[in-house]
Amino acid sequence: MNSFEHDLAERLTALRDQNLFRELRQVDSAQSARIQIAGKAFLNFSSNDYLGLATHPALIEAAIRAVDTFGAGSGASRLICGSLKPFHELETELARLKKTEAAIAFSSGYAAAQGAIGALIGKDDIIILDKLVHACIVDAAKLSGAKIRVFRHNDVGDLEEKLQWASQNTMPRIVRRVLIVTESIFSMDGDIAPLREIVKLKDKYHAWLMVDEAHATGIFGENGGGLIGELGLTDRVELQMATLGKALGASGGCICGSRRLVDFMVNRARPFIFSTAPAPAAAAAATAAIRLVQSAEGKELRKKLQANISEFQSDPGINPARSPALQYQSKSGPTASGTSRLSPIQPIIVGDEQRALDAAAKLRERQLFVPAIRYPSVARGSARLRITFTAAHSREDIFCLVDALKSLDIRD
Ligand SMILES: *Cc1c(COP(=O)(O)O)cnc(C)c1O
């Protein structure tokens, strides 16, 4: 072995020793409520395709039509070779969904975070993050060179302390900008940020707010626009971020906000400028999805999703002590409008990494696909089964999952 291979072998062994080694599992079917792995059918509780749109005929047809008209690839960055029509249609629909002046599409949510944060702030600025924001935001914050402060998860008191610190540090005009970043539904805990309180604080301290609606887009709000719209905060959040690859069933990411914000992104967001535009088919599929989530069918799918989550949660075997999403709900009570707002992400915290892997393996024996999520996706020692629900699950699917979970030995 040469030194390069030797180094890799040692590092891989270290990962295995800590039960943190990961492997890809080949899936031979489309992503939906049922998937095929190694010739066996599994009930799938791992996907973020919350409304089952990834295999919806409207999206598939839109993608095929886009391939027919615009081809398979985009040729270059949109600033270099011209900007294909499907992206403009997508951005118009995104702005309509989010009720913002404008929107800009990126090749992924990850790229959207890098682009937006990297363009807006630099080393003289301050970025304040919720402890549990997604890795793409943490990476973008680090790359920006800004001073990073982290507030305790969903703790507005702690956020205010960080804002006070920031305002003291802006006095001598050394540090100019303060950006707060949080999510609406958190990707691994499934709980929800106190956005109203956060908006009040950011106004009080003259900071800016970016909210990542990766998991709320398509599923919260009257028209599926997300939590910001549902709470009536659209005009008070500087940057709305979303992904097109979760409830919208396609792929890509976006930033929505003012026309000036989008003009600035086109000029300054490096992953937008220095990367080939996504495939036109992905944009066309996302556009079809956005139209769909705002339709009567979209509303029905959201209702079915909520019914599935509620079926799962009403099982007395679910231990709230292991479920951050349930704890959040019992604290927050019903929403002001009385509508249900249950999170499609329902983790069961197991703790130990090996125990989480064993639990997932037992579920696979029963042909249930539920991922064991470990460090670095979550903190060490907080490994979990991350169960996600979709509108494509039937009631029987939920019963099947609940039954299998009961047979697991998840002790403290
Ligand atoms: C998935 C996810 C992203 C990244 O989006 P991609 O389109 O998958 O790159 C960003 N933020 C959160 C909270 C996510 O869960």
Side-chain angles (χ1 to χ4, degrees), residues 164-224:
Q164 274 164 356
W165 173 86
S167 66
Q168 281 152 14
N169 277 270
T170 43
M171 291 301 264
R173 307 298 295 170
I174 299 169
V175 173
R176 285 172 301 150
R177 306 181 183 92
V178 180
L179 176 67
I180 304 167
V181 191
T182 190
E183 293 173 21
S184 45
I185 304 183
F186 282 85
S187 61
M188 294 298 148
D189 283 43
D191 55 354
I192 295 167
L195 286 186
R196 283 210 176 95
E197 287 90 331
I198 292 174
V199 162
K200 271 191 210 134
L201 277 181
K202 74 105 195 174
D203 281 348
K204 181 173 166 192
Y205 289 90
H206 309 290
W208 302 336
L209 178 61
M210 171 169 169
V211 180
D212 179 352
E213 293 241 63
H215 296 277
T217 300
I219 70 162
F220 283 171
E222 181 64 18
N223 67 344

Short mmCIF file of all heavy atoms in Angstrom, two decimals, residues 164-224:
data_model
loop_
_atom_site.label_atom_id
_atom_site.label_comp_id
_atom_site.label_asym_id
_atom_site.label_seq_id
_atom_site.Cartn_x
_atom_site.Cartn_y
_atom_site.Cartn_z
N GLN A 164 -27.23 40.96 21.51
CA GLN A 164 -26.69 42.06 22.34
C GLN A 164 -25.18 42.14 22.16
O GLN A 164 -24.62 43.21 21.96
CB GLN A 164 -27.01 41.82 23.82
CG GLN A 164 -28.38 42.36 24.18
CD GLN A 164 -28.88 41.80 25.51
OE1 GLN A 164 -28.25 40.95 26.13
NE2 GLN A 164 -30.04 42.27 25.94
N TRP A 165 -24.55 40.97 22.20
CA TRP A 165 -23.09 40.92 21.97
C TRP A 165 -22.76 41.53 20.61
O TRP A 165 -21.84 42.34 20.49
CB TRP A 165 -22.62 39.46 22.07
CG TRP A 165 -21.18 39.31 21.69
CD1 TRP A 165 -20.10 39.45 22.52
CD2 TRP A 165 -20.67 39.03 20.39
NE1 TRP A 165 -18.94 39.27 21.82
CE2 TRP A 165 -19.25 39.00 20.50
CE3 TRP A 165 -21.23 38.79 19.15
CZ2 TRP A 165 -18.42 38.76 19.42
CZ3 TRP A 165 -20.41 38.54 18.06
CH2 TRP A 165 -19.02 38.52 18.20
N ALA A 166 -23.56 41.13 19.60
CA ALA A 166 -23.28 41.61 18.24
C ALA A 166 -23.46 43.12 18.16
O ALA A 166 -22.67 43.81 17.52
CB ALA A 166 -24.19 40.91 17.24
N SER A 167 -24.49 43.66 18.84
CA SER A 167 -24.73 45.09 18.71
C SER A 167 -23.63 45.88 19.41
O SER A 167 -23.25 46.96 18.96
CB SER A 167 -26.11 45.47 19.26
OG SER A 167 -26.16 45.23 20.64
N GLN A 168 -23.07 45.32 20.49
CA GLN A 168 -21.93 45.99 21.11
C GLN A 168 -20.73 45.98 20.18
O GLN A 168 -19.97 46.93 20.10
CB GLN A 168 -21.56 45.30 22.43
CG GLN A 168 -22.50 45.71 23.56
CD GLN A 168 -22.63 44.64 24.61
OE1 GLN A 168 -21.85 43.70 24.65
NE2 GLN A 168 -23.65 44.77 25.45
N ASN A 169 -20.60 44.88 19.44
CA ASN A 169 -19.45 44.78 18.54
C ASN A 169 -19.63 45.53 17.24
O ASN A 169 -18.69 45.64 16.47
CB ASN A 169 -19.14 43.30 18.26
CG ASN A 169 -18.30 42.70 19.36
OD1 ASN A 169 -17.09 42.74 19.33
ND2 ASN A 169 -18.99 42.22 20.38
N THR A 170 -20.84 46.03 16.98
CA THR A 170 -21.03 46.82 15.76
C THR A 170 -20.79 48.31 16.03
O THR A 170 -20.63 49.07 15.11
CB THR A 170 -22.45 46.67 15.18
OG1 THR A 170 -23.38 46.72 16.23
CG2 THR A 170 -22.61 45.39 14.41
N MET A 171 -20.73 48.68 17.32
CA MET A 171 -20.61 50.10 17.67
C MET A 171 -19.47 50.84 16.98
O MET A 171 -19.69 51.88 16.36
CB MET A 171 -20.47 50.27 19.20
CG MET A 171 -21.73 49.93 19.98
SD MET A 171 -23.13 50.94 19.50
CE MET A 171 -23.01 52.19 20.77
N PRO A 172 -18.26 50.32 17.03
CA PRO A 172 -17.15 51.09 16.43
C PRO A 172 -17.14 51.02 14.90
O PRO A 172 -16.16 51.45 14.30
CB PRO A 172 -15.89 50.43 17.02
CG PRO A 172 -16.34 49.21 17.73
CD PRO A 172 -17.80 49.06 17.59
N ARG A 173 -18.22 50.52 14.31
CA ARG A 173 -18.33 50.40 12.86
C ARG A 173 -17.26 49.47 12.27
O ARG A 173 -16.85 49.62 11.12
CB ARG A 173 -18.26 51.76 12.15
CG ARG A 173 -19.21 52.80 12.65
CD ARG A 173 -20.66 52.41 12.48
NE ARG A 173 -21.09 52.30 11.09
CZ ARG A 173 -22.26 51.80 10.71
NH1 ARG A 173 -23.08 51.33 11.61
NH2 ARG A 173 -22.60 51.73 9.46
N ILE A 174 -16.80 48.52 13.08
CA ILE A 174 -15.85 47.54 12.53
C ILE A 174 -16.68 46.44 11.86
O ILE A 174 -16.47 46.12 10.71
CB ILE A 174 -14.97 46.93 13.64
CG1 ILE A 174 -14.14 48.03 14.31
CG2 ILE A 174 -14.09 45.83 13.06
CD1 ILE A 174 -13.45 47.59 15.57
N VAL A 175 -17.65 45.92 12.62
CA VAL A 175 -18.50 44.88 12.09
C VAL A 175 -19.76 45.54 11.57
O VAL A 175 -20.36 46.36 12.24
CB VAL A 175 -18.84 43.87 13.20
CG1 VAL A 175 -19.86 42.87 12.69
CG2 VAL A 175 -17.58 43.18 13.67
N ARG A 176 -20.14 45.23 10.35
CA ARG A 176 -21.25 45.97 9.77
C ARG A 176 -22.57 45.21 9.72
O ARG A 176 -23.61 45.78 9.91
CB ARG A 176 -20.86 46.47 8.39
CG ARG A 176 -19.91 47.65 8.46
CD ARG A 176 -19.41 48.00 7.11
NE ARG A 176 -18.73 46.86 6.51
CZ ARG A 176 -18.68 46.64 5.21
NH1 ARG A 176 -19.29 47.45 4.38
NH2 ARG A 176 -18.02 45.61 4.74
N ARG A 177 -22.53 43.92 9.42
CA ARG A 177 -23.79 43.21 9.16
C ARG A 177 -23.97 42.07 10.15
O ARG A 177 -23.00 41.41 10.53
CB ARG A 177 -23.80 42.65 7.74
CG ARG A 177 -23.51 43.72 6.69
CD ARG A 177 -23.55 43.15 5.30
NE ARG A 177 -23.20 44.18 4.33
CZ ARG A 177 -21.96 44.40 3.89
NH1 ARG A 177 -20.95 43.64 4.31
NH2 ARG A 177 -21.72 45.36 3.04
N VAL A 178 -25.22 41.86 10.55
CA VAL A 178 -25.53 40.74 11.43
C VAL A 178 -26.64 39.92 10.78
O VAL A 178 -27.74 40.43 10.52
CB VAL A 178 -26.00 41.23 12.83
CG1 VAL A 178 -26.31 40.04 13.73
CG2 VAL A 178 -24.94 42.13 13.46
N LEU A 179 -26.35 38.66 10.49
CA LEU A 179 -27.32 37.78 9.86
C LEU A 179 -27.65 36.62 10.80
O LEU A 179 -26.75 35.93 11.28
CB LEU A 179 -26.75 37.22 8.54
CG LEU A 179 -27.61 36.20 7.79
CD1 LEU A 179 -28.89 36.85 7.25
CD2 LEU A 179 -26.84 35.53 6.65
N ILE A 180 -28.96 36.43 11.06
CA ILE A 180 -29.41 35.27 11.84
C ILE A 180 -29.89 34.22 10.85
O ILE A 180 -30.58 34.55 9.88
CB ILE A 180 -30.61 35.66 12.74
CG1 ILE A 180 -30.27 36.83 13.65
CG2 ILE A 180 -31.09 34.46 13.56
CD1 ILE A 180 -31.50 37.45 14.32
N VAL A 181 -29.52 32.96 11.08
CA VAL A 181 -30.03 31.90 10.21
C VAL A 181 -30.65 30.79 11.06
O VAL A 181 -30.05 30.33 12.03
CB VAL A 181 -28.92 31.27 9.32
CG1 VAL A 181 -29.55 30.36 8.27
CG2 VAL A 181 -28.08 32.33 8.65
N THR A 182 -31.87 30.40 10.67
CA THR A 182 -32.51 29.27 11.32
C THR A 182 -33.33 28.51 10.28
O THR A 182 -33.37 28.87 9.12
CB THR A 182 -33.36 29.71 12.54
OG1 THR A 182 -33.75 28.54 13.27
CG2 THR A 182 -34.59 30.48 12.13
N GLU A 183 -33.98 27.41 10.73
CA GLU A 183 -34.82 26.62 9.84
C GLU A 183 -36.25 26.71 10.33
O GLU A 183 -36.49 27.06 11.48
CB GLU A 183 -34.37 25.15 9.87
CG GLU A 183 -33.00 24.98 9.26
CD GLU A 183 -32.44 23.56 9.42
OE1 GLU A 183 -33.21 22.60 9.63
OE2 GLU A 183 -31.22 23.43 9.32
N SER A 184 -37.21 26.39 9.47
CA SER A 184 -38.58 26.34 10.01
C SER A 184 -38.86 24.98 10.62
O SER A 184 -39.11 24.89 11.82
CB SER A 184 -39.61 26.78 8.97
OG SER A 184 -39.40 26.19 7.73
N ILE A 185 -38.76 23.90 9.86
CA ILE A 185 -38.78 22.56 10.47
C ILE A 185 -37.35 22.05 10.47
O ILE A 185 -36.69 22.06 9.44
CB ILE A 185 -39.61 21.54 9.65
CG1 ILE A 185 -41.03 22.01 9.41
CG2 ILE A 185 -39.62 20.18 10.36
CD1 ILE A 185 -41.88 20.99 8.68
N PHE A 186 -36.86 21.62 11.63
CA PHE A 186 -35.49 21.15 11.71
C PHE A 186 -35.36 19.74 11.16
O PHE A 186 -36.19 18.88 11.45
CB PHE A 186 -34.98 21.26 13.15
CG PHE A 186 -34.62 22.68 13.48
CD1 PHE A 186 -35.59 23.57 13.92
CD2 PHE A 186 -33.32 23.13 13.30
CE1 PHE A 186 -35.27 24.89 14.18
CE2 PHE A 186 -33.00 24.45 13.55
CZ PHE A 186 -33.97 25.33 14.00
N SER A 187 -34.28 19.53 10.38
CA SER A 187 -34.19 18.35 9.53
C SER A 187 -34.00 17.05 10.30
O SER A 187 -34.37 15.99 9.80
CB SER A 187 -33.06 18.52 8.53
OG SER A 187 -31.83 18.67 9.21
N MET A 188 -33.42 17.09 11.47
CA MET A 188 -33.15 15.84 12.20
C MET A 188 -33.99 15.69 13.47
O MET A 188 -34.14 14.60 13.97
CB MET A 188 -31.66 15.76 12.56
CG MET A 188 -30.77 15.64 11.33
SD MET A 188 -31.12 14.13 10.40
CE MET A 188 -30.76 14.67 8.73
N ASP A 189 -34.53 16.80 14.00
CA ASP A 189 -35.36 16.71 15.20
C ASP A 189 -36.84 16.84 14.88
O ASP A 189 -37.70 16.41 15.66
CB ASP A 189 -34.97 17.79 16.22
CG ASP A 189 -33.69 17.41 16.95
OD1 ASP A 189 -32.76 16.93 16.28
OD2 ASP A 189 -33.62 17.56 18.19
N GLY A 190 -37.15 17.46 13.74
CA GLY A 190 -38.55 17.57 13.32
C GLY A 190 -39.33 18.59 14.13
O GLY A 190 -40.56 18.62 14.06
N ASP A 191 -38.65 19.43 14.90
CA ASP A 191 -39.39 20.47 15.63
C ASP A 191 -39.31 21.78 14.84
O ASP A 191 -38.71 21.83 13.77
CB ASP A 191 -38.88 20.62 17.07
CG ASP A 191 -37.39 20.88 17.12
OD1 ASP A 191 -36.73 20.83 16.07
OD2 ASP A 191 -36.88 21.15 18.22
N ILE A 192 -39.96 22.82 15.38
CA ILE A 192 -40.23 24.01 14.57
C ILE A 192 -39.72 25.25 15.29
O ILE A 192 -39.86 25.39 16.50
CB ILE A 192 -41.76 24.09 14.29
CG1 ILE A 192 -42.15 22.89 13.41
CG2 ILE A 192 -42.14 25.40 13.63
CD1 ILE A 192 -43.63 22.65 13.29
N ALA A 193 -39.13 26.18 14.52
CA ALA A 193 -38.54 27.38 15.12
C ALA A 193 -39.62 28.38 15.53
O ALA A 193 -40.64 28.51 14.84
CB ALA A 193 -37.59 28.04 14.12
N PRO A 194 -39.41 29.13 16.63
CA PRO A 194 -40.34 30.18 17.05
C PRO A 194 -40.12 31.43 16.19
O PRO A 194 -39.55 32.42 16.66
CB PRO A 194 -39.96 30.42 18.52
CG PRO A 194 -38.50 30.04 18.60
CD PRO A 194 -38.27 28.98 17.55
N LEU A 195 -40.60 31.38 14.97
CA LEU A 195 -40.25 32.42 13.99
C LEU A 195 -40.76 33.81 14.37
O LEU A 195 -40.11 34.81 14.13
CB LEU A 195 -40.76 32.05 12.60
CG LEU A 195 -40.01 30.93 11.87
CD1 LEU A 195 -40.53 30.77 10.45
CD2 LEU A 195 -38.51 31.20 11.85
N ARG A 196 -41.98 33.86 14.97
CA ARG A 196 -42.52 35.19 15.34
C ARG A 196 -41.58 35.90 16.30
O ARG A 196 -41.27 37.08 16.12
CB ARG A 196 -43.90 35.02 15.99
CG ARG A 196 -44.99 34.75 14.98
CD ARG A 196 -46.33 35.31 15.48
NE ARG A 196 -47.33 35.12 14.45
CZ ARG A 196 -48.17 34.08 14.40
NH1 ARG A 196 -48.13 33.16 15.35
NH2 ARG A 196 -49.03 33.96 13.43
N GLU A 197 -41.13 35.17 17.32
CA GLU A 197 -40.25 35.78 18.32
C GLU A 197 -38.90 36.15 17.71
O GLU A 197 -38.32 37.19 18.02
CB GLU A 197 -40.01 34.80 19.49
CG GLU A 197 -41.20 34.63 20.41
CD GLU A 197 -42.11 33.50 19.98
OE1 GLU A 197 -42.18 33.19 18.76
OE2 GLU A 197 -42.77 32.90 20.85
N ILE A 198 -38.43 35.29 16.82
CA ILE A 198 -37.12 35.56 16.20
C ILE A 198 -37.20 36.82 15.32
O ILE A 198 -36.30 37.66 15.33
CB ILE A 198 -36.64 34.32 15.40
CG1 ILE A 198 -36.30 33.19 16.38
CG2 ILE A 198 -35.43 34.66 14.54
CD1 ILE A 198 -35.95 31.86 15.73
N VAL A 199 -38.32 36.96 14.60
CA VAL A 199 -38.50 38.15 13.75
C VAL A 199 -38.51 39.42 14.62
O VAL A 199 -37.89 40.44 14.28
CB VAL A 199 -39.78 38.02 12.91
CG1 VAL A 199 -40.22 39.37 12.38
CG2 VAL A 199 -39.56 37.05 11.77
N LYS A 200 -39.21 39.35 15.76
CA LYS A 200 -39.25 40.52 16.66
C LYS A 200 -37.85 40.90 17.11
O LYS A 200 -37.47 42.08 17.11
CB LYS A 200 -40.11 40.20 17.89
CG LYS A 200 -41.58 40.52 17.69
CD LYS A 200 -42.33 40.43 19.01
CE LYS A 200 -43.76 40.01 18.73
NZ LYS A 200 -44.24 38.95 19.64
N LEU A 201 -37.09 39.89 17.49
CA LEU A 201 -35.73 40.17 17.98
C LEU A 201 -34.84 40.74 16.88
O LEU A 201 -34.07 41.66 17.12
CB LEU A 201 -35.10 38.87 18.50
CG LEU A 201 -35.45 38.48 19.93
CD1 LEU A 201 -34.72 37.20 20.28
CD2 LEU A 201 -35.08 39.60 20.90
N LYS A 202 -34.95 40.19 15.69
CA LYS A 202 -34.05 40.67 14.64
C LYS A 202 -34.39 42.12 14.27
O LYS A 202 -33.51 42.90 13.94
CB LYS A 202 -34.04 39.73 13.42
CG LYS A 202 -35.25 39.77 12.53
CD LYS A 202 -34.99 40.49 11.24
CE LYS A 202 -36.35 40.79 10.62
NZ LYS A 202 -36.26 41.61 9.43
N ASP A 203 -35.67 42.49 14.37
CA ASP A 203 -36.04 43.89 14.15
C ASP A 203 -35.47 44.78 15.25
O ASP A 203 -34.90 45.84 14.99
CB ASP A 203 -37.56 44.05 14.11
CG ASP A 203 -38.14 43.62 12.77
OD1 ASP A 203 -37.34 43.44 11.82
OD2 ASP A 203 -39.37 43.44 12.67
N LYS A 204 -35.63 44.30 16.50
CA LYS A 204 -35.16 45.08 17.65
C LYS A 204 -33.67 45.38 17.53
O LYS A 204 -33.20 46.46 17.87
CB LYS A 204 -35.46 44.30 18.93
CG LYS A 204 -35.05 44.99 20.21
CD LYS A 204 -35.56 44.21 21.43
CE LYS A 204 -34.87 44.68 22.70
NZ LYS A 204 -35.13 43.76 23.83
N TYR A 205 -32.90 44.41 17.03
CA TYR A 205 -31.44 44.57 16.97
C TYR A 205 -30.94 44.92 15.56
O TYR A 205 -29.75 44.86 15.29
CB TYR A 205 -30.76 43.31 17.50
CG TYR A 205 -30.93 43.19 19.00
CD1 TYR A 205 -32.01 42.50 19.53
CD2 TYR A 205 -30.04 43.80 19.87
CE1 TYR A 205 -32.20 42.41 20.91
CE2 TYR A 205 -30.20 43.72 21.25
CZ TYR A 205 -31.28 43.02 21.76
OH TYR A 205 -31.46 42.95 23.11
N HIS A 206 -31.86 45.24 14.67
CA HIS A 206 -31.50 45.63 13.29
C HIS A 206 -30.63 44.58 12.60
O HIS A 206 -29.66 44.92 11.91
CB HIS A 206 -30.79 46.99 13.28
CG HIS A 206 -31.56 48.04 14.03
ND1 HIS A 206 -32.74 48.55 13.58
CD2 HIS A 206 -31.33 48.62 15.23
CE1 HIS A 206 -33.20 49.41 14.46
NE2 HIS A 206 -32.38 49.48 15.47
N ALA A 207 -30.96 43.32 12.84
CA ALA A 207 -30.24 42.25 12.15
C ALA A 207 -31.07 41.81 10.94
O ALA A 207 -32.17 42.30 10.72
CB ALA A 207 -30.01 41.07 13.10
N TRP A 208 -30.51 40.89 10.14
CA TRP A 208 -31.25 40.30 9.02
C TRP A 208 -31.54 38.84 9.36
O TRP A 208 -30.83 38.23 10.15
CB TRP A 208 -30.42 40.33 7.74
CG TRP A 208 -29.99 41.70 7.30
CD1 TRP A 208 -30.58 42.89 7.61
CD2 TRP A 208 -28.85 42.01 6.50
NE1 TRP A 208 -29.90 43.92 7.02
CE2 TRP A 208 -28.83 43.41 6.33
CE3 TRP A 208 -27.85 41.25 5.90
CZ2 TRP A 208 -27.83 44.05 5.59
CZ3 TRP A 208 -26.88 41.88 5.15
CH2 TRP A 208 -26.86 43.27 5.00
N LEU A 209 -32.57 38.32 8.71
CA LEU A 209 -32.96 36.93 9.00
C LEU A 209 -33.05 36.11 7.72
O LEU A 209 -33.67 36.52 6.73
CB LEU A 209 -34.31 36.91 9.73
CG LEU A 209 -34.90 35.54 10.07
CD1 LEU A 209 -33.97 34.74 11.00
CD2 LEU A 209 -36.28 35.69 10.71
N MET A 210 -32.43 34.93 7.77
CA MET A 210 -32.55 33.95 6.69
C MET A 210 -33.18 32.70 7.29
O MET A 210 -32.73 32.21 8.32
CB MET A 210 -31.16 33.63 6.13
CG MET A 210 -31.12 32.48 5.16
SD MET A 210 -29.46 32.45 4.35
CE MET A 210 -29.53 30.87 3.53
N VAL A 211 -34.25 32.22 6.66
CA VAL A 211 -34.93 31.02 7.17
C VAL A 211 -34.89 29.93 6.09
O VAL A 211 -35.33 30.15 4.96
CB VAL A 211 -36.39 31.31 7.58
CG1 VAL A 211 -37.06 30.04 8.09
CG2 VAL A 211 -36.45 32.40 8.64
N ASP A 212 -34.37 28.79 6.46
CA ASP A 212 -34.28 27.64 5.56
C ASP A 212 -35.58 26.83 5.70
O ASP A 212 -35.83 26.22 6.74
CB ASP A 212 -33.06 26.81 5.97
CG ASP A 212 -32.87 25.57 5.11
OD1 ASP A 212 -33.76 25.26 4.30
OD2 ASP A 212 -31.82 24.91 5.25
N GLU A 213 -36.39 26.88 4.65
CA GLU A 213 -37.69 26.18 4.68
C GLU A 213 -37.62 24.85 3.92
O GLU A 213 -38.62 24.41 3.34
CB GLU A 213 -38.77 27.09 4.08
CG GLU A 213 -39.06 28.33 4.92
CD GLU A 213 -40.52 28.37 5.39
OE1 GLU A 213 -40.94 27.48 6.16
OE2 GLU A 213 -41.22 29.31 4.97
N ALA A 214 -36.44 24.22 3.95
CA ALA A 214 -36.25 22.96 3.22
C ALA A 214 -37.38 21.96 3.48
O ALA A 214 -37.89 21.34 2.56
CB ALA A 214 -34.90 22.34 3.58
N HIS A 215 -37.75 21.82 4.76
CA HIS A 215 -38.73 20.77 5.10
C HIS A 215 -40.15 21.29 5.25
O HIS A 215 -41.06 20.51 5.51
CB HIS A 215 -38.28 20.05 6.37
CG HIS A 215 -36.99 19.32 6.18
ND1 HIS A 215 -36.92 18.07 5.62
CD2 HIS A 215 -35.70 19.69 6.42
CE1 HIS A 215 -35.66 17.69 5.54
NE2 HIS A 215 -34.90 18.66 6.02
N ALA A 216 -40.36 22.59 5.13
CA ALA A 216 -41.72 23.13 5.30
C ALA A 216 -42.34 23.51 3.97
O ALA A 216 -43.57 23.60 3.85
CB ALA A 216 -41.68 24.34 6.24
N THR A 217 -41.50 23.72 2.96
CA THR A 217 -42.01 24.12 1.65
C THR A 217 -42.85 23.00 1.05
O THR A 217 -42.42 21.85 1.03
CB THR A 217 -40.82 24.45 0.71
OG1 THR A 217 -40.08 25.53 1.29
CG2 THR A 217 -41.31 24.85 -0.67
N GLY A 218 -44.05 23.35 0.62
CA GLY A 218 -44.95 22.35 0.06
C GLY A 218 -45.89 21.75 1.08
O GLY A 218 -46.95 21.26 0.74
N ILE A 219 -45.50 21.79 2.37
CA ILE A 219 -46.35 21.10 3.34
C ILE A 219 -46.99 22.02 4.39
O ILE A 219 -48.00 21.65 4.97
CB ILE A 219 -45.64 19.93 4.03
CG1 ILE A 219 -44.55 20.41 4.97
CG2 ILE A 219 -45.06 18.96 3.01
CD1 ILE A 219 -44.17 19.31 5.93
N PHE A 220 -46.44 23.19 4.65
CA PHE A 220 -47.08 24.12 5.58
C PHE A 220 -47.68 25.29 4.80
O PHE A 220 -47.21 25.63 3.71
CB PHE A 220 -46.09 24.67 6.61
CG PHE A 220 -45.75 23.70 7.71
CD1 PHE A 220 -44.73 23.98 8.60
CD2 PHE A 220 -46.44 22.51 7.86
CE1 PHE A 220 -44.39 23.10 9.62
CE2 PHE A 220 -46.12 21.61 8.88
CZ PHE A 220 -45.09 21.91 9.77
N GLY A 221 -48.65 25.93 5.41
CA GLY A 221 -49.28 27.09 4.78
C GLY A 221 -50.46 26.66 3.92
O GLY A 221 -50.50 25.55 3.42
N GLU A 222 -51.36 27.62 3.78
CA GLU A 222 -52.60 27.38 3.03
C GLU A 222 -52.31 26.83 1.62
O GLU A 222 -52.92 25.87 1.17
CB GLU A 222 -53.37 28.70 2.96
CG GLU A 222 -54.69 28.68 2.24
CD GLU A 222 -55.73 27.78 2.95
OE1 GLU A 222 -55.55 27.47 4.15
OE2 GLU A 222 -56.69 27.41 2.28
N ASN A 223 -51.33 27.43 0.95
CA ASN A 223 -51.01 27.01 -0.43
C ASN A 223 -49.73 26.19 -0.51
O ASN A 223 -49.20 25.98 -1.59
CB ASN A 223 -50.90 28.25 -1.33
CG ASN A 223 -49.68 29.09 -0.96
OD1 ASN A 223 -49.12 28.93 0.13
ND2 ASN A 223 -49.27 29.97 -1.85
N GLY A 224 -49.21 25.77 0.65
CA GLY A 224 -47.96 25.00 0.63
C GLY A 224 -46.72 25.87 0.53
O GLY A 224 -45.63 25.35 0.28
#
